[in-house]
Amino acid sequence: MSTVTLATVCMNVVFDKKKNLEKYFRFIDEAAAKNANLIAFPEQSLQGYLQNLGQFKLETMEYQHANAEVVPEGESTQALIAKAKEKNMYIIWGMTERDKERYDVLYNAAVLVGPEGFLGVYRKVHQPLDEKHVYFDGHEWPVFDTKIGKIGMLICYDKSFPESTRELALRGAEILVMPTAWPLTTVGADYKTDYCKYLYDLYDCVRAAENQCFFISSNHVGVSGDHEFFGHSRIVGPNGRVIVETGIQEGLAVTTVDVKEKIVKARTIDFLGLCQLKDRKPSTYTMISSPIKESR
């Protein structure tokens, strides 16, 4: 496809799968009316993000276990596969996935479906705070070859680690999609809205620019449980500039781009400061995959 229409959702999420799925369908219909080829939804937006983060409570885990689904056999994934085929669209959303073999194992997952059906799932690698008590870590960085380009997924905290998007870019990803649950304030710290916004904006733009990929973030907005979320779902170009975003309200951000043309241009421009993947020196990065030695 020469041009691709990308859409990302800023969504207020409730702790009710049926209601969230109904809202998914409304946004998908709206995106289809704008000829979108891809739509992204926030982290854990099917079941709802964790409550009491930093002050873990058993009911949080009980709710996620009760509402988890196996992928792709689960009813929600099957419903979204049918919707993707109906609208000829790729759909990515965040959810609690149950392991097929081990009933008690849950993952914080992002699922990709499309006109072809189920394409795959990404399981969050970097787990902050109480996510460690609810979800098992993922260990892979899959890239999916689709009709609109090669798609790599990450989830929220993953974007704080440059290795995540660099791994996806080196595996061939052209479109990086990040469902997130980014708050207005950071749990357990004095960082207020300005600092949270600073990091959110910084990471989105830098991860796009340093890999010359499109970067799509989809965030919660408003109050959900005991969290208030930042919103600002957006699409960033491979030059690190924001193309379109929703702001601090629920809604849809849409743009039409030539994915391959923009990436080729970004990766061949002779501009001091814009990282060029071809100029990497892998042989010099001797510590990049070594575990950190924590200070005592």
Side-chain angles (χ1 to χ4, degrees):
M1 301 178 69
S2 58
T3 59
V4 174
T5 299
L6 307 172
T8 183
V9 174
C10 189
M11 179 172 164
N12 182 251
V13 175
V14 296
F15 293 94
D16 184 319
K17 278 196 299 185
K18 183 175 182 293
K19 290 181 179 179
N20 291 329
L21 193 58
E22 288 172 350
K23 188 174 284 189
Y24 278 12
F25 287 163
R26 292 197 295 273
F27 275 121
I28 292 167
D29 289 342
E30 181 182 348
K34 298 180 180 181
N35 300 311
N37 303 109
L38 169 77
I39 187 170
F41 290 94
E43 175 184 13
Q44 290 295 318
S45 54
L46 181 62
Q47 289 95 347
Y49 187 65
L50 301 183
Q51 297 195 66
N52 311 114
L53 199 64
Q55 298 177 340
F56 181 74
K57 293 184 179 179
L58 184 59
E59 53 262 36
T60 293
M61 181 177 287
E62 290 174 339
Y63 171 82
Q64 295 297 335
H65 273 275
N67 288 277
E69 294 186 17
V70 173
V71 173
E73 295 84 355
E75 60 181 0
S76 298
T77 301
Q78 288 298 309
L80 286 160
I81 289 172
K83 194 71 172 176
K85 291 180 177 180
E86 174 194 342
K87 299 298 182 181
N88 193 33
M89 188 186 302
Y90 292 96
I91 304 170
I92 293 173
W93 72 95
M95 63 173 288
T96 295
E97 177 199 6
R98 187 186 306 284
D99 190 275
K100 293 181 182 179
E101 305 297 331
R102 298 174 294 173
Y103 184 83
D104 61 328
V105 172
L106 304 183
Y107 301 102
N108 185 341
V111 183
L112 170 62
V113 300
E116 310 95 320
F118 173 71
L119 279 86
V121 60
Y122 163 71
R123 294 164 174 171
K124 189 173 183 179
V125 170
H126 301 98
Q127 305 277 0
L129 300 169
D130 285 327
E131 288 187 27
K132 297 184 178 78
H133 302 144
V134 181
Y135 303 112
F136 280 68
D137 293 343
H139 298 282
E140 298 178 342
W141 299 101
V143 172
F144 304 96
D145 200 354
T146 75
K147 295 175 184 177
I148 64 171
K150 294 181 179 180
I151 297 174
M153 296 184 286
L154 60 154
I155 300 175
C156 199
Y157 189 45
D158 285 326
K159 77 171 177 177
S160 301
F161 300 86
E163 299 90 343
S164 61
T165 50
R166 178 53 52 86
E167 181 72 17
L168 290 168
L170 293 177
R171 289 172 180 259
E174 298 164 318
I175 304 170
L176 303 171
V177 182
M178 185 203 63
T180 187
W182 203 270
L184 278 170
T185 59
T186 299
V187 174
D190 291 331
Y191 305 146
K192 302 304 180 184
T193 303
D194 286 348
Y195 191 67
C196 287
K197 179 182 185 302
Y198 168 76
L199 288 180
Y200 184 93
D201 294 344
L202 175 70
Y203 289 146
D204 282 2
C205 295
V206 170
R207 298 297 169 251
E210 69 189 0
N211 296 294
Q212 295 93 57
C213 292
F214 284 89
F215 190 96
I216 302 174
S217 60
S218 177
N219 196 15
H220 296 237
V221 72
V223 176
S224 180
D226 57 359
H227 297 294
E228 186 173 4
F229 294 97
F230 180 61
H232 291 83
S233 297
R234 61 167 62 111
I235 300 169
V236 184
N239 59 1
R241 293 184 180 275
V242 176
I243 301 171
V244 64
E245 70 169 38
T246 62
I248 190 72
Q249 63 274 331
E250 190 173 64
L252 189 70
V254 182
T255 188
T256 299
V257 296
D258 188 319
V259 171
K260 293 190 182 298
E261 179 189 44
K262 292 293 185 183
I263 289 175
V264 167
K265 183 176 180 180
R267 291 183 178 178
T268 56
I269 190 171
D270 185 17
F271 177 73
L272 184 64
L274 181 61
C275 169
Q276 295 292 306
L277 293 180
K278 63 182 175 62
D279 292 332
R280 293 174 63 250
K281 300 292 183 182
S283 63
T284 69
Y285 311 145
T286 59
M287 295 297 292
I288 199 71
S289 295
S290 300
I292 191 170
K293 294 181 180 180
E294 296 188 15
S295 58
R296 298 293 181 181

